[in-house]
Amino acid sequence: MSRGKATKTSARKTAGRRTMRVRDRKKPVTKPDSIGRADFLARAWTMEVEAAERYAMFADAMDEHNNREAAELFRKLARIEQRHADQLLEENPSSHPPVLSSAGVRWDDGEGPETAAPGDLHYRMQPYHALQIALACEKRANKFFTDVAGSTTDARVRKAAREMAGEEAEHVHLIEEWLRRTPPPDKDWEHDPDPPVVSD
Amino acid sequence: MHDRAGAGVPSFSIALTGSGGAGVMTAGNMLLEAAAQAGWYGLMVRSSGPQIRGGEAAALLRLAGRPVDCLDDRFDVVVGVDWQNIHRFADEIPLDAGSLMIGDPDQGNPPEVFTKRGVRLAQIPFKRMAKAIPGSWPNMIVLGVAGALVGLSAERLKSVVRNSYKKGGDGLAASLAAVDAGIAALKTLPETPRLGSPSRVEKKPRWLITGNEATGYGAVRGGVRFVAAYPITPATEVLEWLAPALAGVGGTLVQAEDELASINMAIGASFGGVPSLTATAGPGLSLMTEALGLAVAAEVPVVVVDVMRGGPSTGIPAKSEQGDVNIALNGLHGDAPRIVVAPNSIADCLTATQWAVHLSENLQVPAIVLSDQYFGQTRAVVDRPADVSFIGERVLAAPHTESYKRYAITESCVSPMAIPGTPGIAYTAEGLEHNERGIPSSQSGDHIAQLAKREGKLRQHDYGEHWAEIEGEGELAVLTFGSCSGPVREALARAAAEGIRARLVSMRLLSPAQPERLAKALEGVKRVLVVEQNHGAQFHRYLRADFDLPGEVLSFHRAGPLPIRPDEIYRKITEWSRA
Amino acid sequence: MTTAAAAVPITAQAFKADYKPIWCPGCGDYSVLASATKAFAMLELRPENVAIVSGIGCSSRIPAYTNCYGFHGVHGRALAAGTGLKIARPELTVLVAGGDGDGYSIGGNHFLHACRRNVDLTYVVMDNHVYGMTKGQPSPTTEPDWDSKLSPGGTGLRTFHPLVIALAAGANFIARAFSGDPNGTAQILAEAIRTPGFSFVEILSPCVTFRPEQRNWKSQVRPAPVAPTDDPARAARRIMTDDGFNIGVLYKGGRKPYQPAVGKGTKRSADLEAEFTV
């Protein structure tokens, strides 16, 4: 639960407030000397599954607030992350496949590096914003694996970590490409002239 | 182009729907305001999903050349910025083959639950049109379309838009251009009935106001200068309006920690001599009952506004219902008579509340104002309510009155009240039964005397003509109160047009009961239809218990959340009068 | 409370209902829901043995979003209802939940007495310093200068300090969590539930609609600089000087929980007649 320094916001403010603030989390990474390969795989798999679950939750929240475009995009991202998790298992068959356990993996920063923070949502957000969130997640994941590769003494873990880092780097490129194909957010995308509503 | 003058339909109903921040409430408010400026009357009811932001929303408007007190039986036009979850409003937006639904072709078809009624469909690409005008929004296109449909001029609509930008913000030019684009798109639409020009017989002064605002203003006019507040849907706006308004006239509003605190604070302030009020809804009124009993026993004036909502318990907070008759009339333990007043229109929220303050102060008794969510949160164009002279005026005791008895038995049963700070007449206000001096007593003589005093002061008071609105003549009478008065009045007007004569009695003073006055109002009546919006026919039962009703009596009652519509009552009346 | 011997451990997902929350996207309560379900899974509870009792407000909507038993009661009385439930059915795991308005304002009196009574339940307050459901009025934890329609210019009142009150009133376990750290919050909740007696967890849970500036809480919270103490005097000093952003378990006492004996009578109803018989 240690957080190190206060977080820095990487608010990319282009003209007309086109982007939402997406927070970077700069934090110390667990020194994984003692992580064996099985543990490492479980951790990597958990990262993907937790990321998928989080995107699915975002999709539900967007659906409930009538933001179909953002909902669809988050569902796509959820499916992609789940596919990554499935691929991990396929490529690394084991007699004891990892199971998502609440007592299991603890992350330094509270949540997995690839898990998006709920605070970054906005009910009026546009697909571009969702992809910005995804990009930050993939970058963090890439950094996580790079750091593990650089600090572990276990050769097999290092090999696996390098592979993962490479995969995440590819994901980063894919998201960047996706972003290029996606229309930037409208000016005043947050605009909602109606006041909040009471129902209780 | 001027506002369209000349003949047309007397009333036009239009619903604006959209979700996810489409801004239909804002567009609806502007439409109502523009209509008001053009000399029309009208009202707007808001309906939304459970989300706090981004939910599905419907602005339900009715515009007319004469004052209207309720929604019509059907809508002429529905304009949808999009259709997401709009099917949830199906029950609130009755349509038929004569109705027109206008949607954005890029947003899919309107929900089947609407289209299967045989409505006409039309399409205007709101989103594309808004995109073509950088900085504009689809809801401004909708405003142009809706305004022109109704017959409002471009200038009229744009002046309202300009007003909304007075506090700054860019986008004015784009919004104006969007309104123009919406107006131009009208050419592509099928013919729709246009609203007839407003009656030019007399230009009365008019207001654009909600029932909650009118309630607050009525309190201020009645002399209230202390309010204790605890937020609750749908009463919060009464308190939020009062917060700055009271301060402006030298009064105070305090936010309490809960309803128990707010009612006790109000009673404390009133004991100190300051006319006091709080506003709440059903669950809050339930909490306040013990303290109200105290105010009855100790003869301390206080006004509680109950903006009724769907019940029981947490119920349906954002919808209207008339389900608190029982608790308002009977909710206190022991024999604890108090005043219950029910406004019968949005404008009457002011007059009735002002009257309630007056009665409460004069008779030194709590008064409950039975408003409801429909009145409270509907915005309407109303004729400016006539000034009434009701103001709270306590009978005060003079300093150093010899052998002062706070609870003295007098002819009127109202005894002069000592206000803290007045020398020589200090007393202790008592919830325990007491003698005339206010000393606690368990003596039978004192108990009977004080019970008779508290009951007598209400019974003997002359409430004048305000106890009810009585209109029309005939052997059939419709008895109602509160927000059912609007649809009943309209139903009777339609029946009258077909030669069916019927009387309206809309009761404003529910407690104490006025059986003699009602009997007089119903002289010659052979059939009584009682109309109310609750499941248990609470008002009907009250009438049967405490009044004499002539002839045959029928109860027409239904719970919320849907309003009772004029046509339902009209058909009941015509059926029955022909039977 | 028994758990079926399961080959696969129960997951947080098993505690989530299909019914989706209507909270505004970005609301901290989503994370609290995730943390609670994670905590239940960590403790290997079964949904049918958990009851979530709430009052009125955005946070109080939480029971319906789980597969546990739920009680969505009236405003401010959740602790009373939860107390009754736990005393009558001690084998259940009872979680009482609500917001700062529901809990510290109208619920204030019951809060005092629940801490004092020390029944074995866990009370979670999702604190966002505002009345969200009724569109933004100040709550007892709102800063004195926060402008609102109901209190223009601010209330001018000192804020309520729930952790201080809890300690003074006798709560046995006092912690603060932050919704922005769902796993950490899950750990705290699990410990709170595991600890016998009245466990109070205040969770800072930002309101993105009425208090958007609370997105900054992420950079203001910090782990509590000291380990939890079981010494009330030390805890008092710590909590009285707390600035509202220290995260972690702050106090963990050893008070025996209050639980009257239930179902342990030795008499039959007919035996009671003896006292009246002439």
Side-chain angles (χ1 to χ4, degrees):
Chain A
M1 210 170 53
S2 64
R3 291 182 57 85
K5 294 235 167 84
T7 59
K8 200 171 82 161
T9 65
S10 59
R12 269 160 252 129
K13 270 194 124 186
T14 54
R17 283 214 64 203
R18 286 164 63 192
T19 60
M20 277 171 53
R21 287 163 213 246
V22 175
R23 294 169 192 277
D24 276 344
R25 289 178 293 187
K26 293 188 168 45
K27 61 229 80 86
V29 174
T30 311
K31 294 272 186 278
D33 276 349
S34 53
I35 292 182
R37 193 164 172 282
D39 277 344
F40 172 76
L41 276 173
R43 197 166 269 269
W45 180 84
T46 302
M47 230 169 86
E48 301 294 337
V49 174
E50 284 184 350
E53 279 184 355
R54 184 53 55 83
Y55 285 136
M57 185 192 95
F58 283 7
D60 286 339
M62 285 299 132
D63 260 332
E64 278 301 312
H65 289 77
N66 297 304
N67 188 336
R68 288 293 129 81
E69 291 185 343
E72 268 168 31
L73 203 137
F74 280 126
R75 273 200 214 290
K76 257 194 203 132
L77 290 169
R79 278 196 296 271
I80 289 169
E81 296 297 354
Q82 187 57 51
R83 208 169 351 125
H84 293 164
D86 295 339
Q87 270 165 3
L88 255 175
L89 290 187
E90 281 163 27
E91 289 160 9
N92 299 281
S94 153
S95 51
H96 298 292
V99 162
L100 196 63
S101 145
S102 302
V105 170
R106 291 279 326 267
W107 302 102
D108 271 342
D109 187 40
E111 302 225 84
E114 209 163 340
T115 302
D120 291 335
L121 290 184
H122 189 287
Y123 73 103
R124 298 269 302 157
M125 68 195 299
Q126 303 193 330
Y128 193 90
H129 299 123
L131 288 171
Q132 282 185 305
I133 289 174
L135 182 63
C137 291
E138 298 301 328
K139 284 185 172 169
R140 279 197 305 269
N142 167 263
K143 182 175 191 309
F144 172 76
F145 287 122
T146 309
D147 288 347
V148 168
S151 60
T152 185
T153 52
D154 183 328
R156 290 190 312 165
V157 169
R158 192 181 318 127
K159 179 168 182 287
R162 280 202 186 125
E163 279 170 17
M164 303 272 173
E167 301 230 3
E168 299 296 352
E170 244 189 74
H171 299 163
V172 168
H173 286 315
L174 285 171
I175 304 270
E176 280 172 341
E177 175 52 31
W178 198 350
L179 263 169
R180 275 192 283 276
R181 293 193 317 262
T182 304
D186 301 320
K187 179 169 172 304
D188 298 327
W189 57 270
E190 281 173 290
H191 174 84
D192 178 355
D194 283 352
V197 158
V198 189
S199 59
D200 243 16
Chain B
M1 185 179 88
H2 298 289
D3 304 317
R4 199 175 187 285
V9 293
S11 154
F12 192 89
S13 292
I14 180 165
L16 309 181
T17 64
S19 72
V24 293
M25 298 305 186
T26 301
N29 271 324
M30 288 187 178
L31 185 62
L32 183 64
E33 209 173 311
Q37 302 287 349
W40 281 317
Y41 291 87
L43 51 85
M44 176 171 138
V45 172
R46 295 173 301 165
S47 192
S48 352
Q51 311 85 334
I52 290 183
R53 303 215 76 173
E56 47 280 7
L60 310 175
L61 289 108
R62 183 180 189 193
L63 304 174
R66 49 163 177 80
V68 281
D69 276 327
C70 63
L71 289 171
D72 207 343
D73 301 311
R74 59 181 281 287
F75 282 81
D76 295 287
V77 176
V78 179
V79 185
V81 176
D82 65 83
W83 301 115
Q84 293 190 97
N85 283 318
I86 304 301
H87 64 273
R88 293 182 179 168
F89 297 124
D91 287 337
E92 293 174 77
I93 308 181
L95 302 172
D96 56 33
S99 312
L100 173 68
M101 283 194 95
I102 305 171
D104 187 328
D106 301 326
Q107 300 291 330
N109 291 322
E112 207 208 308
V113 69
F114 290 117
T115 57
K116 71 175 185 209
R117 300 176 199 175
V119 301
R120 296 175 297 157
L121 298 171
Q123 295 186 322
I124 295 181
F126 301 117
K127 214 167 171 193
R128 253 185 280 149
M129 287 168 73
K131 266 207 140 75
I133 304 170
S136 78
W137 299 94
N139 73 334
M140 288 293 105
I141 311 274
V142 164
L143 177 62
V145 170
L149 260 176
V150 159
L152 289 163
S153 70
E155 237 347 275
R156 187 73 64 194
L157 293 167
K158 296 205 284 201
S159 115
V160 170
V161 174
R162 262 185 225 105
N163 273 342
S164 76
Y165 278 89
K166 273 212 179 111
K167 291 185 192 150
D170 350 282
L172 173 58
S175 290
L176 295 174
V179 169
D180 276 326
I183 293 171
L186 202 64
K187 299 193 221 56
T188 66
L189 294 180
E191 263 301 305
T192 50
R194 303 296 166 85
L195 198 53
S197 78
S199 139
R200 301 213 185 276
V201 173
E202 25 166 334
K203 283 277 196 175
K204 296 185 196 169
R206 296 165 316 136
W207 286 355
L208 186 55
I209 193 169
T210 65
N212 278 349
E213 290 164 342
T215 302
Y217 194 16
V220 171
R221 280 199 177 171
V224 165
R225 291 296 179 269
F226 178 87
V227 170
Y230 190 74
I232 182 171
T233 310
T236 308
E237 293 96 0
V238 178
L239 305 164
E240 287 184 335
W241 185 88
L242 278 168
L246 261 188
V249 297
T252 328
L253 181 141
V254 174
Q255 186 179 340
E257 59 269 28
D258 60 22
E259 288 90 346
L260 299 177
S262 58
I263 184 64
N264 281 286
M265 284 185 189
I267 292 170
S270 179
F271 166 71
V274 181
S276 304
L277 172 143
T278 186
T280 188
L285 184 60
S286 289
L287 285 173
M288 294 181 184
T289 51
E290 185 194 20
L292 284 173
L294 168 63
V296 170
E299 299 197 52
V300 179
V302 72
V303 176
V304 177
V305 177
D306 176 16
V307 185
M308 295 188 284
R309 67 194 220 177
S313 187
T314 312
I316 310 177
K319 292 295 186 197
S320 203
E321 197 167 74
Q322 292 185 312
D324 295 349
V325 174
N326 283 347
I327 190 176
L329 294 174
N330 300 311
L332 311 190
H333 64 270
D335 285 302
R338 88 297 280 167
I339 301 279
V340 178
V341 163
N344 58 38
S345 72
I346 287 172
D348 197 44
C349 286
L350 186 152
T351 319
T353 303
Q354 187 178 347
W355 192 42
V357 175
H358 161 84
L359 290 174
S360 172
E361 291 286 310
N362 283 32
L363 301 173
Q364 299 172 16
V365 71
I368 298 173
V369 178
L370 280 185
S371 174
D372 64 28
Q373 182 274 335
Y374 167 77
F375 281 158
Q377 299 188 324
T378 296
R379 207 155 165 252
V381 186
V382 302
D383 286 326
R384 180 187 181 284
D387 284 327
V388 289
S389 59
F390 297 127
I391 195 155
E393 257 183 85
R394 278 181 215 189
V395 179
L396 298 179
H400 300 294
T401 305
E402 189 77 35
S403 307
Y404 171 64
K405 295 183 186 138
R406 167 67 186 101
Y407 300 110
I409 309 297
T410 64
E411 205 185 308
S412 68
C413 295
V414 178
S415 46
M417 189 172 180
I419 305 301
T422 315
I425 51 171
Y427 77 105
T428 294
E430 251 317 332
L432 280 170
E433 191 56 283
H434 43 261
N435 63 18
E436 285 184 273
R437 290 192 42 223
I439 307 299
S441 162
S442 60
Q443 297 294 308
S444 132
D446 289 325
H447 188 39
I448 290 172
Q450 292 297 317
L451 284 168
K453 174 188 199 294
R454 294 187 289 255
E455 183 253 330
K457 69 183 177 179
L458 297 193
R459 183 176 26 83
Q460 288 172 200
H461 184 77
D462 181 359
Y463 296 95
E465 297 311 307
H466 286 271
W467 76 280
E469 297 287 326
I470 304 166
E471 295 162 16
E473 285 172 5
E475 292 185 342
L476 191 151
V478 184
L479 239 55
T480 189
F481 74 97
S483 58
C484 284
S485 309
V488 167
R489 202 175 261 122
E490 194 152 326
L492 289 176
R494 290 185 203 174
E498 304 200 349
I500 297 171
R501 297 188 332 142
R503 241 178 265 202
L504 163 69
V505 177
S506 166
M507 207 179 272
R508 191 185 277 108
L509 183 74
L510 263 61
S511 176
Q514 306 289 301
E516 283 115 25
R517 288 187 193 255
L518 184 64
K520 189 146 178 288
L522 294 178
E523 255 165 26
V525 165
K526 300 216 169 74
R527 285 172 166 166
V528 177
L529 178 68
V530 181
V531 176
E532 59 188 305
Q533 195 193 19
N534 61 70
H535 185 75
Q538 299 177 20
F539 183 55
H540 175 235
R541 286 170 176 229
Y542 172 53
L543 291 170
R544 297 294 292 268
D546 284 25
F547 299 75
D548 290 318
L549 298 177
E552 286 175 75
V553 180
L554 247 191
S555 162
F556 182 84
H557 62 276
R558 188 179 64 234
L562 300 177
I564 294 181
R565 300 203 187 255
D567 188 58
E568 304 178 71
I569 302 166
Y570 163 77
R571 278 193 276 125
K572 207 78 204 160
I573 293 172
T574 48
E575 235 175 67
W576 204 19
S577 63
R578 286 176 185 145
Chain C
M1 177 201 76
T2 55
T3 54
V8 180
I10 196 162
T11 62
Q13 199 55 40
F15 290 92
K16 292 200 180 123
D18 286 332
Y19 180 46
K20 299 299 169 203
I22 52 132
W23 295 319
C24 302
C27 174
D29 293 354
Y30 283 101
S31 303
V32 175
L33 174 63
S35 300
T37 53
K38 258 201 172 113
F40 298 151
M42 277 161 64
L43 295 167
E44 294 180 359
L45 300 174
R46 302 237 17 109
E48 63 270 18
N49 293 327
V50 178
I52 305 181
V53 179
S54 69
I56 299 288
C58 289
S59 314
S60 289
R61 292 271 185 142
I62 198 169
Y65 304 142
T66 71
N67 274 339
C68 309
Y69 276 89
F71 189 83
H72 188 200
V74 294
H75 197 28
R77 318 290 171 197
L79 277 171
T83 296
L85 176 62
K86 179 67 182 185
I87 288 178
R89 296 290 312 280
E91 69 278 17
L92 297 175
T93 299
V94 176
L95 191 84
V96 178
D100 44 305
D102 185 82
Y104 304 147
S105 198
I106 186 169
N109 178 46
H110 303 300
F111 180 50
L112 278 178
H113 293 284
C115 293
R116 189 173 68 95
R117 193 176 281 113
N118 200 35
V119 166
D120 180 20
L121 55 80
T122 300
Y123 182 39
V124 171
V125 175
M126 286 159 259
D127 193 349
N128 58 10
H129 300 355
V130 77
Y131 276 88
M133 196 43 108
T134 42
K135 288 203 302 184
Q137 293 80 34
S139 86
T141 48
T142 305
E143 314 81 90
D145 55 356
W146 186 70
D147 187 46
S148 69
K149 280 194 202 163
L150 202 53
S151 295
T155 61
L157 301 176
R158 209 191 91 134
T159 58
F160 190 82
H161 290 180
L163 277 66
V164 175
I165 306 284
L167 183 69
N172 193 51
F173 176 104
I174 299 174
R176 185 187 284 115
F178 174 50
S179 69
D181 175 13
N183 285 357
T185 299
Q187 297 285 340
I188 291 177
L189 284 175
E191 198 181 340
I193 295 171
R194 249 197 312 263
T195 306
F198 183 76
S199 301
F200 170 54
V201 183
E202 141 125 336
I203 306 183
L204 297 175
S205 179
C207 175
V208 291
T209 294
F210 294 107
R211 308 294 315 260
E213 67 275 20
Q214 288 172 353
R215 286 186 205 254
N216 285 331
W217 275 355
K218 240 184 137 114
S219 42
Q220 290 178 274
V221 296
R222 72 186 81 77
V226 285
T229 178
D230 62 355
D231 173 9
R234 186 174 299 144
R237 253 195 313 280
R238 199 181 284 170
I239 293 177
M240 284 295 293
T241 52
D242 177 271
D243 69 350
F245 291 107
N246 286 313
I247 304 299
V249 179
L250 302 175
Y251 172 73
K252 193 165 165 175
R255 280 182 70 196
K256 191 161 161 294
Y258 173 76
Q259 179 61 51
V262 163
K264 300 235 166 68
T266 51
K267 290 211 178 111
R268 295 169 308 153
S269 173
D271 298 338
L272 299 171
E273 191 183 327
E275 99 178 59
F276 307 115
T277 311
V278 169

